């Protein structure tokens, strides 16, 4: 083989064509592809590409009784939410609002009236529970930082940074008053009866971030322990009026949201291709992991 032949050697190109059937089944629904048609001006449009709506090809015209039955059979969760939507629309239009001169109504406060009275009558018990809760916050912090510093997995740390930054912005944007029955303690975190952002609960969100990381690493027993302690933390915060119910509920969602956003960030930032074609690890410091 000559050098001339070596330089002119080529690899045959192959092309794979994926054929899409006209009838596509997604989640037990049949979606029929609308054929492309050419208008008089010569341009090509298609309902499938989403350039326009046409009642002639509307989806609901193809619905059958079997589709309706299948909707309730295979998609019970969205159907439940649809019924809930109608129910709460009725509640919203018929419920009398709390007067501005009255304290806010909180269903979590109503459910923990007895526990609140116990803590009022026993300041020592309130301090002990506050101290235990602070220990749990320390456990969260230790685990989240440990996943980065010791294990080299910064995702949970990044999620926590995202979460607390957003919490600070929202907490400052709408400053809610402390409940009138708030029971502070010098052993609580933040320490003492200081002002703090109520919306949303950083205690709960941090616990969720740690628990989600434990599940990714299949540390099931530890995740169960954190979830149990998080639930007890929720009950204590309601009993001491340290958070409104909505703060705690959004805290759960915030933990899930910022863990997901941190995962997307790490996937996009860990490895980047340099100009010369080589690859460089762009994770926080020298992490060998993407999560």
């Amino acid at each position: 083989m000559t050098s001339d032949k070596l330089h002119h050697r080529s690899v045959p190109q192959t092309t794979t064509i994926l054929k899409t059937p006209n009838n596509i089944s997604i989640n037990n629904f049949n979606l029929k592809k609308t054929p492309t048609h050419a208008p008089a001006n010569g341009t090509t449009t298609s309902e499938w590409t989403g350039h326009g709506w046409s009642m002639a090809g509307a989806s609901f015209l193809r619905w059958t009784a079997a589709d309706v039955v299948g909707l309730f059979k295979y998609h019970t969760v969205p159907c439940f939410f649809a019924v809930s939507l109608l129910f709460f629309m009725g509640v919203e239009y018929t419920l009398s609002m709390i007067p501005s001169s009255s304290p806010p109504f909180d269903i979590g406060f109503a459910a923990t009236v007895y526990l609140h009275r116990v803590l009022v009558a026993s300041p020592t018990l309130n301090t002990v529970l506050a101290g235990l809760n602070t220990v749990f916050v320390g456990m969260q912090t230790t685990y989240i930082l440990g996943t980065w510093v010791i294990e080299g997995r910064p995702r949970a740390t990044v999620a926590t940074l995202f979460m607390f930054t957003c919490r600070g912005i929202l907490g400052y944007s709408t400053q809610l008053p402390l409940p009138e029955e708030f029971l502070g303690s010098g052993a609580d975190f933040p320490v003492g009866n200081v002002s703090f952002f109520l919306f949303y609960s950083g205690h709960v969100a941090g616990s969720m971030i740690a628990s989600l990381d434990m599940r990714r690493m299949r540390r099931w027993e530890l995740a169960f322990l954190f979830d149990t302690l998080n639930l007890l933390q929720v009950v204590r915060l309601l009993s001491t009026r340290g958070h409104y119910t909505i703060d705690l509920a959004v805290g759960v969602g915030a933990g899930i949201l910022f863990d997901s956003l941190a995962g997307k960030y790490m996937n996009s930032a860990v490895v980047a291709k340099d100009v010369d074609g080589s690859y460089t690890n762009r994770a926080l410091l020298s992490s060998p992991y993407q999560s």
Side-chain angles (χ1 to χ4, degrees):
M1 180 181 291
T2 64
S3 60
D4 182 68
K5 291 182 179 180
L6 177 63
H7 287 292
H8 288 81
R9 183 178 179 181
S10 61
V11 179
Q13 300 290 330
T14 59
T15 303
T16 302
I17 301 176
L18 300 177
K19 296 182 179 181
T20 304
N22 289 331
N23 294 333
I24 304 174
S25 178
I26 302 177
N27 293 335
N28 302 302
F29 289 98
N30 291 323
L31 303 178
K32 296 181 179 179
K33 181 177 178 180
T34 305
T36 302
H37 56 278
N41 58 9
T43 61
T44 302
T45 61
S46 172
E47 292 176 6
W48 184 257
T49 58
H51 292 300
W53 285 3
S54 172
M55 290 301 295
S59 176
F60 74 90
L61 295 177
R62 298 191 298 272
W63 293 354
T64 65
D67 292 329
V68 175
V69 173
L71 178 66
F72 288 94
K73 181 178 180 180
Y74 299 106
H75 302 277
T76 53
V77 173
C79 289
F80 171 77
F81 287 152
V83 174
S84 299
L85 169 64
L86 298 176
F87 171 76
F88 284 109
M89 284 179 63
V91 171
E92 183 176 359
Y93 281 95
T94 57
L95 183 66
S96 298
M97 298 298 292
I98 299 297
S100 57
S101 58
S102 300
F105 170 77
D106 191 292
I107 192 171
F109 290 3
T112 56
V113 169
Y114 174 75
L115 294 176
H116 178 74
R117 292 173 180 170
V118 171
L119 295 179
V120 169
S122 179
T124 301
L125 177 60
N126 181 42
T127 300
V128 170
L129 294 179
L132 292 175
N133 204 156
T134 300
V135 171
F136 180 47
V137 173
M139 293 168 58
Q140 301 173 30
T141 305
T142 301
Y143 179 84
I144 291 173
L145 289 177
T147 59
W148 175 32
V149 176
I150 298 177
E151 299 181 12
R153 298 184 301 105
R155 174 170 173 173
T157 304
V158 172
T160 304
L161 294 175
F162 285 1
M163 181 270 291
F164 275 110
T165 300
C166 185
R167 177 179 180 268
I169 295 173
L170 294 178
Y172 182 81
S173 299
T174 302
Q175 300 174 36
L176 302 174
L178 281 174
E180 296 178 357
E181 299 176 326
F182 171 64
L183 297 176
S185 171
D188 208 349
F189 181 84
V191 178
N193 299 326
V194 298
S195 60
F196 57 92
F197 296 141
L198 285 169
F199 189 85
Y200 42 83
S201 173
H203 289 70
V204 173
S207 302
M208 283 300 305
I209 291 173
S211 176
L212 290 170
D213 184 87
M214 294 167 186
R215 282 177 164 76
R216 274 194 301 274
M217 302 305 295
R218 291 179 169 81
R219 296 165 176 166
W220 308 115
E221 294 82 3
L222 194 57
F224 177 78
L225 173 63
F226 263 59
D227 289 340
T228 302
L229 294 177
N230 197 12
L231 180 60
L232 295 175
Q233 174 178 242
V234 166
V235 175
R236 190 194 77 87
L237 289 171
L238 288 174
S239 301
T240 61
R241 310 308 191 233
H243 271 293
Y244 295 107
T245 302
I246 192 172
D247 306 330
L248 304 171
V250 175
V252 174
I256 297 172
L257 170 64
F258 289 108
D259 176 77
S260 175
L261 292 179
K264 294 180 184 298
Y265 170 78
M266 294 305 302
N267 289 335
S268 65
V270 168
V271 177
K273 190 173 183 180
D274 292 338
V275 177
D276 60 358
S278 61
Y279 286 88
T280 301
N281 191 339
R282 293 198 308 174
L284 300 180
L285 300 183
S286 58
S287 167
Y289 299 97
Q290 293 188 16
S291 61

